[in-house]
């Protein structure tokens, strides 16, 4: 079987291909898993006219089907190789035989072939059934199809403690009162939004599930052994066997090592058929495509239960979380639009904006640059001031508090939904499975042992490998083994963070130098639009830098995690997430933090400006404040990342990879007729050309970064939830289409929560409270306006606010060489104004910070403390008021435990009654005195009593009876 020959049969017979492409050639046994590999055959050379030897691989088409039994004809690969060499030595003069030296490429291919043969032999020993196609071409792709029979499925399901449905069903307690009425009304209203997928016939009943046990097989509702375990469970079981099956060759520790060493190219479960076929057969994949993975059904709810059934709990939880997040963006978007409209409505009644735009208020401002910039009127910045009011108004304070509470309610609601899904998906009480060590960890550990013991011979290395397999729990990598990796991590992460800051500094230098260069222009239009030009181009440059560094940081984070050599996949994933999030967080928000909290803070004052380079002053905020520029920066980076990175990259890159892989295969593969290839491609062929699934980290990461844009600086951009909502409506269907049509089917993974992502979300929610407090207090003019109205205004209004915030400067005190050359200002200027709270030139303490400055600063800090504590208190209050576990689910979990105990007692009682009835019946037959009956009773007692007199398991007898 391993050598592509059916044992004991010389005539070659080929069954027709399975019409569905999901079964073996007999169209009965399911293909639970597929291994794909590239092969390259070395053609033997023979002397002309001499007798030829039978080639190693038959050229005829043979469908290889193994039932897992070991026959006499099957030998281990190493033994086969030794026998072949012995035969060559015994027949040195065999006519037509030519001994050839293998090229390095042929040697490597032969070594891989032997590894494959040994690995597949081990899979047969594990009880799996294998089907292979013969390798008819000189090189190409071949597939190993794997089927798990009932004995293997039941054994592994018991080892993995997979919960399976029993015969018992119990009633789910429904909500009563007004909640039930509201729920019924909502179900009727949302009926057009429900996806048309098969639902459970009786939603008021739930099947009791229990970890599978072969001894208690009578408990389970087994109608058909072929369909009792669904496709996702079957592939999960086979994957576990593949991961733990090892080979002696190169000390491989499972399928992961073999794929890493190119022995196999891929290992994947099959999709359930085509998603867009013309036939009327409906499979789960086609149903998901029609009701979920198309943009035309964007208004429908997601079929979460079907997603979980097809892709597994981990992916199901991701889409459930994404759906809830998108739903929660609806109320925040509505409130954000109301806040924006409030700014639009009140813009005409905003007194500071009207004062700034009034031509009669002749506020002569100091030059924006040395020598080449002239004095200017504040009224020329009227448009900026009016635009700033759209986002810098009292409603933004309310919106910041609202969004902080929104984030808390979202996380609490997710915990409740997570518990509800855990109950209905039978994840309650799910224990963390013992994970297999990663191949890289095993390899590093083996290298350490080999180095310590200085073993070089092949025999001892094989012996060490077996000892290693038995004692791998005792041996582990120590801190000293990981010190180089940790040192590289610390140094490189620090370097990457500094790189992000350097990029921000580079953009700052670009702003300053470009602004100075444009100020020298003789064109009046260019000089008047310097600020707009510089801001727009700088933000676009920043966006491009962020997108480029994002891709670099993702690759660097993965490499840094690999050199740490984490033991398990879960540890690897968590460390990768933390590194990638840290780097991408700094990259995405560094420029926004600069504009919000640093720009315009270190400018200095007229006569004593701060210079970056000789002759280049530090940039300062626009007359209306930095909040408007913060809004522009935030909106362009957020929208740019969503449009380019989250959508165009997600659509374009997989298609380009698929095209590149197809062209590569066509270029490397020799055009030959393959007699084994059926006319229509089978499902394993179609799935092989799809993109492999690499995990959910990129999907979560882009949503977490978006969550930061929505919450961290929402005080400066109330429309952020609106754009996030529009993006997510597309994102849900984009991700769905990618999973259904462009990716190979992922391995199902049972998870009861979203893991470390929840902690990151919670941390962002808490950080958003602090950042929004500082944005309102420091970046916006909310506190200065409040202080002026209630402390300095003579009539309690905002009249005179602009004059109050501007300080005087005597132009005669400007440094030599910095005065405007060829000033075209209408009148003679003695004093110019600049935005700051400083003493006037006629004061004894001229140009020092005034009392108003310290009063406003104190008010800013007081507001930060008050805002932070108030919002934190309200968040804790909301957290306390909303229980993590819904009351009905808590009651159902208790009820399920009671029902389970009663069900076990009832089944055991019936089993004991059945046994007692058999024994009583046999005793009566014994008393009748006939020899035949005595023999029957004795045989029954011997078969069904243990040596100590206790009854053995009657599972099989009970099922038969």
């Amino acid at each position: 079987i391993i050598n592509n020959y059916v044992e004991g049969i010389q005539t070659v017979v080929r069954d027709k291909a399975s019409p569905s492409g999901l079964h073996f050639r007999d169209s009965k046994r399911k293909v639970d898993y597929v291994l794909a590999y590239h092969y390259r055959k070395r053609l033997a050379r023979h002397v002309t006219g001499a007798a030829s030897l039978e080639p190693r691989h038959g050229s005829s088409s043979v469908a290889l089907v193994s039932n897992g039994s070991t026959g006499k004809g099957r030998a281990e690969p190493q033994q086969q190789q030794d026998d072949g060499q012995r035969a060559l030595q015994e027949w040195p003069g065999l006519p037509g035989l030519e001994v050839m030296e293998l090229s390095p490429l042929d040697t490597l291919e032969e070594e891989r072939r032997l590894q494959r043969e040994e690995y597949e032999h081990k899979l047969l020993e594990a009880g799996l059934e294998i089907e292979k196609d013969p390798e008819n071409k000189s090189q190409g792709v071949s597939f190993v199809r794997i089927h798990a029979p009932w004995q293997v499925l039941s054994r592994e399901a018991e080892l993995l403690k997979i919960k399976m449905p029993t015969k018992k069903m119990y009633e789910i307690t429904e909500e009563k009162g007004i909640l039930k009425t509201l729920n019924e009304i909502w179900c009727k209203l949302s009926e057009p939004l429900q996806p048309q997928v098969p639902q459970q016939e009786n939603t008021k009943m739930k099947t009791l599930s229990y970890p599978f046990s072969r001894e208690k097989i009578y408990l389970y509702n087994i109608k058909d052994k072929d369909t009792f375990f669904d496709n996702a469970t079957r592939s999960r079981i086979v994957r576990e066997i593949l991961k733990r099956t090892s080979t002696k060759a190169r000390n491989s520790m499972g399928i992961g090592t073999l794929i890493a060493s190119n022995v196999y190219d891929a290992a994947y479960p099959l999709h359930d058929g085509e998603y867009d076929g013309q036939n009327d057969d409906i499979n789960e994949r086609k149903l998901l495509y029609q009701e979920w993975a198309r943009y035309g059904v964007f208004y429908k709810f997601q079929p979460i239960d079907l997603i979980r059934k097809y892709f597994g709990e981990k992916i199901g939880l991701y889409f459930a979380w994404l759906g809830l997040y998108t739903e929660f963006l609806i109320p925040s978007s509505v409130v954000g639009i109301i806040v924006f409209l409030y700014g639009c409505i009140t813009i005409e009644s905003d007194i500071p904006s009207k004062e700034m735009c009034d031509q009669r208020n002749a506020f002569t401002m100091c030059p924006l640059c040395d020598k080449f910039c002239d004095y200017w009127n504040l009224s020329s910045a009227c448009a900026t001031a009016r635009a700033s009011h759209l986002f810098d108004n009292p409603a933004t304070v309310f919106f910041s508090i609202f969004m902080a509470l929104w984030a808390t309610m979202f996380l609490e609601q997710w915990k409740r939904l997570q518990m509800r899904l855990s109950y209905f998906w039978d994840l309650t009480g799910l224990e963390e499975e013992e994970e297999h060590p990663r191949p890289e960890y095993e390899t590093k550990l083996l290298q350490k042992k080999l180095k310590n013991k200085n073993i070089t011979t092949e025999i001892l290395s094989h012996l060490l490998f077996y000892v290693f397999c038995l004692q791998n729990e005792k041996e582990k990598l120590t801190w000293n083994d990981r010190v180089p990796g940790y040192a590289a991590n610390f140094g490189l992460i620090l370097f990457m963070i500094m790189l992000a800051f350097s990029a921000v500094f580079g953009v700052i230098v670009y702003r300053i130098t470009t602004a100075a260069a444009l100020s020298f222009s003789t064109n009046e239009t260019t000089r008047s639009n310097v600020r707009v030009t510089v801001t727009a181009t700088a933000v676009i440059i920043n966006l491009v830098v962020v997108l480029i560094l994002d891709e670099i940081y993702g690759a660097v984070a993965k490499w840094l995690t690999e050199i740490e050599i984490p033991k398990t996949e879960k540890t690897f994933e968590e460390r990768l997430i933390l590194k990638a999030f840290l780097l991408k967080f700094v990259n995405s928000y560094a420029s926004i933090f600069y504009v919000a909290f640093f720009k315009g803070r270190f400018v200095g004052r007229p006569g004593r400006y701060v210079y970056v380079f000789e002759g280049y002053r530090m940039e300062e905020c626009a007359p209306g404040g930095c909040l408007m520029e913060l809004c522009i920066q935030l909106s362009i980076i957020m929208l740019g990342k969503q449009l380019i990175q989250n959508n165009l990259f997600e659509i374009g890159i997989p298609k380009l990879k698929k095209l590149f892989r197809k062209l590569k295969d066509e270029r490397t593969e020799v055009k030959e007729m393959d007699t084994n290839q059926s006319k229509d491609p089978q499902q394993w062929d179609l799935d092989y050309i799809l993109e492999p699934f690499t995990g959910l980290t990129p999907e979560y990461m882009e949503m977490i970064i978006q969550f930061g844009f929505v919450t961290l600086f929402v005080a400066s951009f109330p429309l952020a939830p609106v754009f996030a909502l529009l993006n997510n409506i597309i994102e849900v269907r984009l991700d769905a289409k990618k999973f259904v049509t462009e990716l190979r089917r992922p391995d199902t993974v049972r998870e009861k929560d979203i893991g470390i992502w929840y902690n990151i979300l919670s941390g962002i929610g808490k950080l958003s409270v602090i950042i929004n407090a500082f944005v309102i207090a420091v970046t916006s003019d909310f506190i200065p306006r409040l202080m002026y109205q209630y402390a300095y205004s003579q009539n309690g209004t905002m009249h005179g606010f602009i004059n109050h915030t501007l300080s005087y400067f005597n132009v005669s005190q400007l440094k030599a060489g910095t005065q405007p050359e060829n000033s075209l200002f209408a009148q003679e200027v003695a004093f110019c104004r600049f935005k700051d709270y400083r003493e006037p030139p006629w004061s004894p303490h001229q140009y020092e910070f005034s009392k108003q400055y310290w009063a406003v600063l104190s008010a800013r800090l007081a507001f930060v403390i008050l805002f932070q504590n108030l919002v934190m208190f309200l968040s804790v209050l909301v957290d306390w008021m909303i229980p993590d576990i819904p009351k009905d689910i808590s009651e159902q979990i208790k009820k399920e435990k009671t029902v389970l105990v009663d069900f076990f007692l009832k089944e055991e009682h019936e089993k004991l009654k059945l046994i007692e009835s058999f024994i009583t019946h046999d005793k009566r037959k014994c008393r009748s005195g006939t020899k035949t009956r005595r023999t029957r009773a004795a045989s029954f007692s011997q078969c069904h009593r243990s040596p100590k007199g206790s009854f053995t398991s009657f599972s099989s007898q009970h099922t038969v009876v």
Side-chain angles (χ1 to χ4, degrees):
I1 292 170
I2 290 179
N3 288 321
N4 293 0
Y5 286 99
V6 179
E7 296 178 2
I9 300 177
Q10 297 299 327
T11 57
V12 175
V13 180
R14 172 166 180 160
D15 297 330
K16 291 183 179 180
S18 170
S20 65
L22 301 173
H23 294 80
F24 276 14
R25 302 294 181 185
D26 56 10
S27 298
K28 294 179 181 179
R29 288 176 285 180
K30 288 182 178 179
V31 177
D32 297 319
Y33 223 85
V34 174
L35 305 180
Y37 64 90
H38 273 89
Y39 67 88
R40 177 182 175 275
K41 294 202 312 187
R42 176 178 55 83
L43 300 176
R45 290 183 294 170
H46 305 282
V47 178
T48 307
S52 63
L53 294 175
E54 184 72 23
R56 190 174 187 90
H57 296 274
S59 60
S60 304
S61 299
V62 184
L64 307 167
V65 182
S66 167
N67 59 4
S69 62
T70 54
K72 295 179 182 178
R74 185 184 296 110
E76 290 199 13
Q78 189 64 38
Q79 183 182 345
Q80 293 173 358
Q81 189 180 18
D82 295 342
D83 292 345
Q85 291 175 354
R86 196 179 300 113
L88 291 177
Q89 292 171 2
E90 291 176 1
W91 301 93
L94 191 65
L97 180 65
E98 183 180 351
V99 180
M100 294 184 298
E101 298 237 351
L102 295 179
S103 67
L105 191 61
D106 287 332
T107 305
L108 181 62
E109 181 60 34
E110 185 71 11
E111 184 180 350
R112 288 173 180 170
R113 186 185 62 76
L114 291 174
Q115 281 186 270
R116 285 195 294 267
E117 289 181 359
E118 183 185 358
Y119 185 71
E120 289 158 18
H121 181 69
K122 291 285 183 69
L123 295 181
L124 295 174
E125 290 179 346
L128 296 175
E129 299 178 7
I130 290 177
E131 179 182 76
K132 291 179 68 176
D133 288 330
E135 300 167 359
N136 288 330
K137 298 194 293 184
S138 61
Q139 62 178 355
V141 180
S142 189
F143 299 95
V144 179
R145 298 177 288 282
I146 300 173
H147 169 77
W150 170 259
Q151 293 82 357
V152 175
L153 292 173
S154 56
R155 180 191 72 208
E156 297 297 324
E158 185 173 356
L159 289 173
L160 297 173
K161 299 179 181 178
I162 298 175
K163 284 188 174 183
M164 300 303 297
T166 63
K167 299 174 183 177
K168 179 68 176 176
M169 296 186 73
Y170 64 96
E171 187 178 1
I172 299 174
T173 307
E174 292 184 336
E175 296 174 340
K176 298 179 180 179
I178 190 171
L179 290 176
K180 181 180 179 181
T181 307
L182 291 173
N183 189 40
E184 290 175 352
I185 294 171
W186 171 247
C187 288
K188 288 181 180 179
L189 291 174
S190 63
E191 192 171 348
L193 306 178
Q194 298 295 338
Q196 302 299 315
V197 297
Q199 300 288 343
Q200 186 179 341
E201 294 179 2
N202 191 354
T203 55
K204 296 180 181 179
M205 302 294 291
K206 184 179 185 294
T207 304
L208 186 67
S209 296
Y210 185 73
F212 189 80
S213 172
R214 287 175 289 179
E215 291 184 355
K216 297 182 174 59
I217 201 168
Y218 56 87
L219 298 175
Y220 303 96
N221 187 21
I222 304 177
K223 296 178 181 178
D224 184 0
K225 288 185 177 180
D226 291 335
T227 58
F228 179 64
F229 295 102
D230 60 16
N231 292 345
T233 307
R234 295 173 72 98
S235 63
R236 177 188 168 205
I237 289 173
V238 175
R239 179 72 181 188
E240 285 296 321
I241 297 174
L242 295 176
K243 284 165 68 175
R244 68 168 185 255
T245 302
S246 58
T247 61
K248 289 188 297 182
R250 289 209 172 188
N251 303 328
S252 72
M253 294 88 174
I255 189 63
T257 312
L258 294 174
I259 292 175
S261 57
N262 295 320
V263 176
Y264 290 101
D265 287 343
Y268 53 91
L270 291 180
H271 278 292
D272 281 0
E274 295 186 31
Y275 63 88
D276 59 350
Q278 300 298 325
N279 54 356
D280 296 331
D281 296 336
I282 293 292
N283 55 59
E284 290 181 350
R285 187 187 187 193
K286 183 180 287 188
L287 199 60
L288 283 170
Y289 178 74
Q290 292 176 352
E291 297 294 327
W292 178 53
R294 293 188 300 115
Y295 296 112
V297 292
F298 72 93
Y299 60 91
K300 289 189 177 183
F301 293 123
Q302 299 184 88
I304 293 297
D305 290 327
L306 185 59
I307 297 169
R308 169 253 177 177
K309 182 183 177 185
Y310 192 81
F311 292 111
E313 284 77 8
K314 188 172 184 178
I315 294 175
L317 283 174
Y318 164 71
F319 281 105
W321 174 84
L322 181 58
L324 182 69
Y325 172 48
T326 305
E327 289 174 14
F328 258 72
L329 283 172
I330 296 173
S332 60
S333 300
V334 172
V335 177
I337 291 172
I338 292 172
V339 170
F340 179 74
L341 291 177
Y342 171 82
C344 295
I345 294 169
T346 59
I347 192 170
E348 296 299 332
S349 59
D350 182 50
I351 297 173
S353 299
K354 294 169 84 174
E355 286 186 350
M356 189 177 291
C357 295
D358 192 353
Q359 298 285 347
R360 294 171 296 179
N361 294 329
F363 295 115
T364 303
M365 306 299 292
C366 297
L368 294 174
C369 65
D370 295 343
K371 192 183 291 186
F372 296 99
C373 295
D374 202 354
Y375 303 105
W376 55 286
N377 277 322
L378 186 61
S379 58
S380 62
C382 174
T384 307
R386 290 172 65 86
S388 296
H389 178 73
L390 298 176
F391 306 102
D392 190 2
N393 57 68
T396 56
V397 180
F398 157 76
F399 190 56
S400 299
I401 298 173
F402 170 81
M403 287 303 294
L405 298 180
W406 173 88
T408 304
M409 291 187 69
F410 164 63
L411 294 176
E412 287 302 309
Q413 189 61 30
W414 167 245
K415 284 194 285 188
R416 291 168 63 83
L417 177 60
Q418 196 170 249
M419 276 306 303
R420 190 173 294 277
L421 293 175
S422 295
Y423 167 69
F424 284 105
W425 292 354
D426 297 317
L427 299 174
T428 51
L430 178 67
E431 299 177 2
E432 287 193 7
E433 298 175 4
E434 184 178 354
E435 288 191 78
H436 299 286
R438 297 176 65 247
E440 294 82 358
Y441 179 88
E442 301 268 24
T443 304
K444 184 71 175 179
L445 189 56
L446 185 59
Q447 290 173 355
K448 177 185 175 184
K449 291 169 71 71
L450 288 169
K451 183 179 179 182
N452 291 342
K453 296 188 178 182
N454 197 22
I455 298 175
T456 55
T457 64
E458 185 179 355
I459 297 174
L460 286 179
S461 66
H462 286 324
L463 178 62
L464 180 61
F465 172 69
Y466 285 123
V467 173
F468 166 73
C469 291
L470 294 172
Q471 298 180 347
N472 59 354
E473 292 300 324
K474 299 179 183 178
E475 298 288 342
K476 60 181 182 180
L477 297 179
T478 60
W479 174 265
N480 292 332
D481 299 318
R482 290 194 169 99
V483 163
Y486 290 149
N489 268 261
F490 178 78
L492 203 52
I493 287 175
L494 197 61
F495 171 76
M496 287 296 167
I497 292 175
M498 295 306 297
L499 180 63
F501 290 153
S502 301
V504 174
F505 181 73
V507 175
I508 294 171
V509 172
Y510 166 80
R511 289 170 183 264
I512 295 171
T513 53
T514 306
L518 292 177
S519 299
F520 301 156
S521 175
T522 56
N523 191 331
E524 180 63 29
T525 308
T526 304
R527 287 202 306 271
S528 60
N529 294 316
V530 166
R531 191 179 294 277
V532 176
T533 306
V534 169
T535 302
T537 54
V539 171
I540 292 171
I541 292 171
N542 221 330
L543 173 62
V544 173
V545 171
V546 166
L547 293 176
I548 293 172
L549 288 181
D550 250 5
E551 300 302 317
I552 295 173
Y553 284 171
V556 168
K558 186 177 181 181
W559 180 74
L560 288 176
T561 311
E562 286 173 350
I563 65 175
E564 275 189 29
I565 322 171
K567 184 174 182 180
T568 63
E569 285 295 340
K570 186 174 182 181
T571 310
F572 178 88
E573 187 178 14
E574 288 181 351
R575 294 185 182 182
L576 173 62
I577 289 168
L578 285 175
K579 290 183 185 65
F581 174 73
L582 174 62
L583 292 174
K584 293 191 176 187
F585 182 88
V586 172
N587 182 42
S588 299
Y589 298 113
S591 59
I592 299 172
F593 269 92
Y594 163 73
V595 174
F597 304 122
F598 297 101
K599 185 178 180 181
R601 312 291 169 197
F602 311 101
V603 178
R605 61 169 180 82
R608 192 178 292 176
Y609 283 114
V610 177
Y611 292 87
V612 182
F613 303 110
E614 186 177 353
Y616 292 106
R617 278 162 39 180
M618 280 292 291
E619 58 176 347
E620 50 188 302
C621 294
C626 275
L627 197 69
M628 188 61 201
E629 191 170 341
L630 175 62
C631 173
I632 296 171
Q633 185 92 5
L634 181 67
S635 60
I636 291 181
I637 291 179
M638 178 183 176
L639 296 176
K641 278 179 68 67
Q642 289 185 167
L643 181 64
I644 299 173
Q645 193 175 47
N646 298 1
N647 293 325
L648 294 182
F649 282 9
E650 268 194 67
I651 296 171
I653 290 178
K655 291 187 181 297
L656 289 174
K657 285 183 178 179
K658 184 178 177 180
L659 179 63
F660 177 76
R661 192 165 56 249
K662 186 178 180 181
L663 292 173
K664 182 181 177 183
D665 290 342
E666 289 177 354
R667 188 167 59 250
T668 56
E669 217 173 277
V670 180
K671 298 293 182 182
E672 299 178 49
M673 286 297 294
D674 188 359
T675 57
N676 178 57
Q677 187 73 23
S678 59
K679 188 174 182 181
D680 296 323
Q682 297 294 304
Q683 191 61 47
W684 47 83
D685 297 307
L686 298 173
D687 286 3
Y688 178 71
I689 62 175
L690 297 178
E691 190 72 16
F693 174 69
T694 55
L696 288 170
T697 301
E699 318 299 334
Y700 272 114
M701 187 65 71
E702 64 187 53
M703 289 295 105
I704 296 296
I705 296 296
Q706 185 203 83
F707 183 79
F709 282 121
V710 169
T711 54
L712 291 179
F713 295 93
V714 75
S716 64
F717 189 42
L719 295 178
V722 179
F723 291 109
L725 175 63
L726 296 175
N727 174 80
N728 285 11
I729 291 173
I730 300 172
E731 181 72 22
V732 171
R733 306 302 161 179
L734 180 63
D735 284 348
K737 188 174 182 181
K738 183 170 68 174
F739 273 87
V740 174
T741 66
E742 296 177 4
L743 296 180
R744 292 174 191 159
R745 188 171 184 174
D747 295 303
T748 56
V749 180
R750 287 177 72 83
E751 292 284 355
K752 58 184 178 180
D753 53 38
I754 60 174
I756 196 172
W757 294 111
Y758 180 84
N759 299 329
I760 293 176
L761 285 168
S762 180
I764 290 176
K766 291 178 173 61
L767 183 63
S768 68
V769 177
I770 302 170
I771 289 179
N772 280 305
F774 275 99
V775 168
I776 295 170
V778 177
T779 312
S780 75
D781 280 340
F782 177 74
I783 298 300
R785 293 186 183 196
L786 212 62
M787 284 290 294
Y788 176 78
Q789 186 173 0
Y790 294 103
Y792 300 107
S793 177
Q794 297 179 355
N795 52 8
T797 64
M798 293 300 296
H799 289 287
F801 172 73
I802 297 298
N803 185 52
H804 177 74
T805 58
L806 298 176
S807 299
Y808 287 91
F809 181 77
N810 191 342
V811 297
S812 62
Q813 296 178 352
L814 285 171
K815 288 184 178 179
T818 62
Q819 300 93 340
E821 292 183 351
N822 304 320
S823 177
L824 301 175
F825 210 68
Q827 64 269 18
E828 188 69 25
V829 178
F831 296 97
C832 65
R833 310 293 293 272
F834 64 99
K835 190 173 181 180
D836 207 346
Y837 291 102
R838 290 184 182 268
E839 296 288 345
W842 51 84
S843 170
H845 308 286
Q846 59 178 358
Y847 307 131
E848 291 184 4
F849 289 117
S850 62
K851 293 179 180 178
Q852 289 90 337
Y853 171 83
W854 298 111
V856 170
L857 180 62
S858 302
R860 291 182 196 269
L861 297 177
F863 175 82
V864 169
I865 296 170
L866 179 65
F867 182 89
Q868 179 182 337
N869 285 281
L870 174 64
V871 175
M872 287 292 188
F873 169 75
L874 292 175
S875 300
V876 172
L877 185 64
V878 169
D879 190 359
W880 175 75
M881 290 176 64
I882 302 175
D884 293 346
I885 305 176
K887 188 178 179 181
D888 60 324
I889 296 298
S890 179
E891 292 175 353
Q892 294 299 333
I893 292 173
K894 293 176 184 176
K895 181 179 179 180
E896 188 176 62
K897 292 179 181 178
T898 307
V899 170
L900 183 63
V901 172
D902 294 342
F903 177 59
F904 265 102
L905 291 175
K906 183 181 178 182
E907 288 291 328
E908 292 295 326
H909 182 65
E910 289 181 358
K911 191 171 73 170
L912 288 172
K913 284 176 65 177
L914 186 65
I915 295 171
E916 288 172 1
S917 66
F918 270 112
I919 294 173
T920 305
H921 185 63
D922 279 0
K923 283 181 178 179
R924 287 174 183 172
K925 289 183 178 181
C926 286
R927 292 194 191 100
S928 65
T930 60
K931 185 176 180 180
T932 306
R933 291 174 181 175
R934 283 199 304 271
T935 306
R936 183 178 177 186
S939 65
F940 184 86
S941 300
Q942 289 172 3
C943 291
H944 300 291
R945 282 181 179 271
S946 63
K948 294 183 180 181
S950 60
F951 294 107
T952 57
S953 173
F954 268 75
S955 58
S956 58
Q957 289 82 354
H958 184 203
T959 306
V960 172
V961 171

